[in-house]
C-alpha cells in the first residue's frame, strides 16, 4: 500500500482526458470483475428506478462503475495537482455567501462520486474553513494519505465518528461550516425509517439534529463530475428548517437528495447497501 501515494503523484501529472480514458477502461474491468458490488448496484437501481427497463438500468450500472473509477483516479490531481490545475478543472455554482459569514452552516453533501472534489473546491479555491466527520480507513498508509489529501489546504477540522456528537455541536455553535454526508445506512440504532425513492430506508436524522442543536442554517452542496473536472453546485439556504419533527425533516432531506440524484443518477454512490436495514418483518433486498 505504500506505493499508492507515489502512483497517485505520478498520475497527477497526466492530462485529464488520458486519465479519464484510463478510468473508463478500468471502470469496465471493475464492472466485469466486481460481482458482489455489481449485484448491489443492480439491486439499488431496481428498487429506485423500477420504471426503467432492465437494459437502461444495466447501462446506468456500467456507467456508474466508470465514473466511480474515474473519480478515484481524479484524487491524484485533486490531492497532488498544482493550484493552477485545480483552478482550471474545478468550478462552483450558487451563492457562497452563507459559507463566508459567521453563521454556522450544515451542508448536505451527498455521496456523489465527486464528494471529495467539492471539499477541495471550498477549501482550496474558496478559502472556506470547513469541518467534516471522518471514518478511519483500515490500512494506516491509506488512512494517512486520505486524511492528508482531504486536508491539503489545512482548513479542514476533522471530527472522528467514534468521538460522539458533542464536539460537533460545540463547533457549530462557534460558527463551523459542517460538510455532512448523512445519506448512508448506518444500521438500526439512531436511525429512522423514511422514504427514499418510495421505499422505507434507515436514515440517520443527523442533518435535522445538528441544525437544531448547532443553531445552523442548512443548504445542499452536491458535486458533479464533468468532462472538464468537477462543478460544486451550492443550493440556497433551506427555509423553515429544522422543524420540531426530526423524522419529517429527514424525509425532507431524502426528497431533496432524490431531486439532485435525478439530475445525475449514475454519479450517486450506488455500491453502498442503502436498503440493508429493513423494518421489522421485511425481507432483505440483497
Amino acid at each position: 500500500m505504500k506505493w499508492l501515494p507515489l502512483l497517485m503523484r505520478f498520475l497527477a501529472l497526466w492530462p485529464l482526458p488520458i486519465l479519464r480514458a484510463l478510468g473508463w477502461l478500468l471502470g469496465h474491468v471493475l464492472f466485469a470483475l466486481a460481482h458482489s458490488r455489481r449485484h448491489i448496484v443492480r439491486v439499488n437501481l431496481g428498487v429506485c428506478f423500477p420504471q426503467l427497463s432492465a437494459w437502461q438500468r444495466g447501462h446506468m450500472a456500467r456507467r456508474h462503475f466508470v465514473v466511480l473509477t474515474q473519480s478515484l483516479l481524479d484524487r491524484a490531481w485533486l490531492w497532488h495537482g498544482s493550484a493552477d490545475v485545480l483552478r482550471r478543472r474545478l468550478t462552483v455554482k450558487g451563492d457562497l455567501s452563507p459559507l463566508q459569514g459567521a453563521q454556522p452552516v450544515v451542508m448536505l453533501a451527498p455521496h456523489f462520486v465527486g464528494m471529495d472534489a467539492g471539499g477541495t473546491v471550498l477549501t482550496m479555491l474558496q478559502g472556506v474553513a470547513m469541518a467534516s466527520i471522518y471514518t478511519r480507513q483500515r490500512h494506516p498508509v491509506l488512512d494517512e494519505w486520505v486524511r492528508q489529501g482531504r486536508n491539503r489546504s489545512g482548513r479542514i477540522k476533522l471530527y472522528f465518528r467514534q468521538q460522539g456528537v458533542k464536539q460537533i455541536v460545540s463547533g457549530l455553535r462557534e460558527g463551523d461550516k459542517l460538510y455532512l454526508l448523512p445519506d448512508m445506512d448506518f444500521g438500526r440504532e439512531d436511525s429512522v425509517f423514511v422514504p427514499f425513492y418510495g421505499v422505507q430506508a434507515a436514515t440517520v436524522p443527523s442533518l435535522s439534529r445538528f441544525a437544531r442543536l448547532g443553531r445552523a442554517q442548512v443548504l445542499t452542496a452536491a458535486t458533479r463530475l464533468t468532462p472538464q473536472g468537477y462543478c460544486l453546485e451550492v443550493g440556497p439556504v433551506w427555509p423553515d428548517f429544522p422543524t420540531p419533527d426530526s423524522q419529517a425533516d429527514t424525509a425532507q432531506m431524502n426528497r431533496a437528495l432524490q431531486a439532485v440524484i435525478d439530475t445525475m443518477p449514475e454519479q450517486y454512490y450506488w455500491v453502498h447497501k442503502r436498503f440493508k436495514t429493513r423494518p421489522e418483518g421485511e425481507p432483505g433486498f440483497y
Side-chain angles (χ1 to χ4, degrees):
M1 189 62 71
K2 292 182 179 179
W3 51 267
L4 180 61
L6 295 176
L7 173 63
M8 297 302 266
R9 288 181 183 275
F10 172 65
L11 293 178
L13 303 174
W14 289 24
L16 184 59
I18 296 178
L19 192 63
R20 289 283 175 84
L22 176 61
W24 182 91
L25 175 62
L26 294 179
H28 282 84
V29 172
L30 186 62
F31 178 80
L33 298 180
H35 302 287
S36 62
R37 290 294 171 179
R38 188 175 69 226
H39 171 71
I40 293 168
V41 171
R42 283 177 165 167
V43 170
N44 285 335
L45 295 180
V47 171
C48 295
F49 301 101
Q51 74 279 13
L52 299 181
S53 68
W55 183 90
Q56 288 173 313
R57 292 196 299 269
H59 178 75
M60 189 184 297
R62 186 181 295 271
R63 178 62 184 158
H64 173 66
F65 276 88
V66 168
V67 296
L68 177 63
T69 307
Q70 289 174 329
S71 73
L72 294 175
L73 294 180
D74 282 343
R75 264 71 167 188
W77 57 268
L78 283 170
W79 293 348
H80 302 291
S82 67
D84 183 59
V85 165
L86 297 182
R87 284 191 291 268
R88 290 201 313 269
R89 298 179 183 176
L90 300 176
T91 59
V92 61
K93 291 181 180 179
D95 181 12
L96 295 183
S97 60
L99 301 176
Q100 295 164 341
Q103 173 75 20
V105 175
V106 181
M107 290 171 272
L108 171 60
H111 278 84
F112 290 100
V113 298
M115 58 186 177
D116 278 318
T120 301
V121 171
L122 291 173
T123 58
M124 291 291 292
L125 300 187
Q126 302 298 324
V128 176
M130 200 171 75
S132 183
I133 301 172
Y134 182 73
T135 301
R136 294 185 185 276
Q137 308 296 313
R138 293 181 180 179
H139 196 285
V141 174
L142 178 62
D143 183 73
E144 179 69 14
W145 177 66
V146 170
R147 284 192 292 111
Q148 288 186 356
R150 288 180 175 172
N151 196 24
R152 66 175 295 192
S153 67
R155 297 188 181 97
I156 295 185
K157 182 194 303 182
L158 290 179
Y159 294 115
F160 293 90
R161 189 174 301 279
Q162 65 271 21
Q163 294 176 338
V165 303
K166 185 179 295 186
Q167 59 177 344
I168 302 172
V169 172
S170 296
L172 282 169
R173 292 184 177 181
E174 294 172 1
D176 272 358
K177 311 297 184 285
L178 179 64
Y179 199 71
L180 184 67
L181 297 85
D183 56 322
M184 301 186 83
D185 187 335
F186 291 109
R188 193 175 305 277
E189 186 177 358
D190 295 328
S191 292
V192 296
F193 282 98
V194 292
F196 180 58
Y197 280 97
V199 178
Q200 294 296 310
T203 310
V204 289
S206 54
L207 183 70
S208 176
R209 181 185 305 152
F210 286 141
R212 184 177 65 256
L213 297 178
R215 308 184 187 108
Q217 297 178 315
V218 169
L219 53 79
T220 304
T223 308
R224 186 183 303 269
L225 183 148
T226 69
Q228 296 77 32
Y230 294 89
C231 179
L232 172 65
E233 299 174 358
V234 179
V237 172
W238 293 13
D240 304 318
F241 190 95
T243 72
D245 188 340
S246 63
Q247 184 152 349
D249 287 348
T250 306
Q252 179 180 339
M253 180 192 81
N254 276 0
R255 290 194 298 271
L257 173 58
Q258 284 180 222
V260 183
I261 291 174
D262 286 343
T263 71
M264 46 177 168
E266 74 282 355
Q267 295 194 27
Y268 191 59
Y269 198 70
W270 297 115
V271 291
H272 169 67
K273 291 183 178 181
R274 185 63 188 89
F275 303 99
K276 177 177 61 176
T277 305
R278 307 307 308 138
E280 293 291 344
E282 281 196 15
F285 285 109
Y286 305 99

